[in-house]
Amino acid sequence: TLDVQVYTVLRFDILVGIRLLRLLTKVRNLSGELVIFGINEPLNNLLIITRLHNIFKVFKSRDEAISFLKSIS
């Protein structure tokens, strides 16, 4: 069973970044994986500039994200 929870980030700021890192830690402590998908170009560029794209799995679409999650489960 694949449990997918979708979080939409409307505005990316430092607090959102910290929350995402905390959420990632919690999910990984439960042997899970956090993925991000469907973000706009400015947010994707921000993830690249801050090098957070190396920490989070980022996908263009929900289907790609789910395929990835299924492949690792």
Side-chain angles (χ1 to χ4, degrees):
T1 303
L2 182 63
D3 181 23
V4 178
Q5 294 183 1
V6 178
Y7 293 89
T8 302
V9 179
L10 298 177
R11 192 184 85 166
F12 190 88
D13 58 24
I14 191 67
L15 293 178
V16 172
I18 291 169
R19 288 181 186 136
L20 282 173
L21 290 170
R22 286 182 181 161
L23 181 59
L24 178 64
T25 301
K26 288 179 183 180
V27 168
R28 287 194 175 160
N29 284 340
L30 296 171
S31 299
E33 186 63 58
L34 177 69
V35 297
I36 299 173
F37 65 88
I39 61 174
N40 61 28
E41 187 175 342
L43 180 52
N44 189 55
N45 290 339
L46 183 58
L47 290 175
I48 292 169
I49 291 167
T50 59
R51 298 186 184 197
L52 289 174
H53 72 289
N54 293 322
I55 297 171
F56 296 104
K57 303 288 186 200
V58 180
F59 298 92
K60 290 183 180 180
S61 71
R62 181 178 189 269
D63 290 339
E64 289 175 338
I66 290 174
S67 292
F68 169 77
L69 292 171
K70 286 180 178 179
S71 75
I72 63 169
S73 62

